[in-house]
Amino acid sequence: MTYLALAGMFLSATLLALAVAAVLRRPDRSWWLATGLTAVVMMALTAVFDSLMIAADLFRFDENQLTGIYIGLAPIEDFTWPLAAVALISAIRLLGSPSEAQPARSRSRGMQGTPAARKR
């Protein structure tokens, strides 16, 4: 199995999870902007630090298993992992957050038992 096929399986699964979470929670434009910005930053960090680690000979790839496309010294296959991480963490965040459709009164009821609420 090539590096791209392996990474593609993980990326596909996490993108599916993100799609399901987005359909269920319907995030707004600012959420998508933050998620996109996070992905861009992760890609830039991957390009810099993977190139540095490859230049330092900390790890090597089987050239027969790569597509031959590089950004810096990092093979394009390495960039699927940060995208998968952003997709999965974003999906978990969406599914774990309280629904925006929930009435504010219901959400504040859950706060009654907290120490800050008891001081009032």
Side-chain angles (χ1 to χ4, degrees):
M1 178 179 289
T2 65
Y3 293 121
L4 187 60
L6 177 64
M9 289 186 332
F10 280 91
L11 183 60
S12 298
T14 60
L15 289 175
L16 179 62
L18 180 58
V20 168
V23 166
L24 292 175
R25 293 302 176 117
R26 305 272 187 214
D28 61 2
R29 184 176 291 152
S30 65
W31 185 89
W32 285 110
L33 182 63
T35 301
L37 182 61
T38 301
V40 168
V41 169
M42 291 295 291
M43 300 298 276
L45 290 171
T46 298
V48 170
F49 288 104
D50 276 19
S51 292
L52 288 173
M53 289 186 289
I54 291 168
D57 203 26
L58 294 177
F59 56 89
R60 297 179 187 166
F61 295 96
D62 180 0
E63 297 295 324
N64 296 327
Q65 301 296 319
L66 296 174
T67 60
I69 302 169
Y70 295 86
I71 297 177
L73 296 176
I76 198 74
E77 291 87 347
D78 263 5
F79 292 88
T80 56
W81 300 107
L83 287 179
V86 169
L88 182 60
I89 291 168
S90 298
I92 291 169
R93 174 68 177 105
L94 270 179
L95 294 173
S97 65
S99 174
E100 295 301 319
Q102 184 181 12
R105 197 175 81 197
S106 298
R107 283 189 297 219
S108 65
R109 255 190 232 147
M111 297 289 292
Q112 290 174 354
T114 63
R118 281 187 243 139
K119 288 181 183 178
R120 289 189 224 165

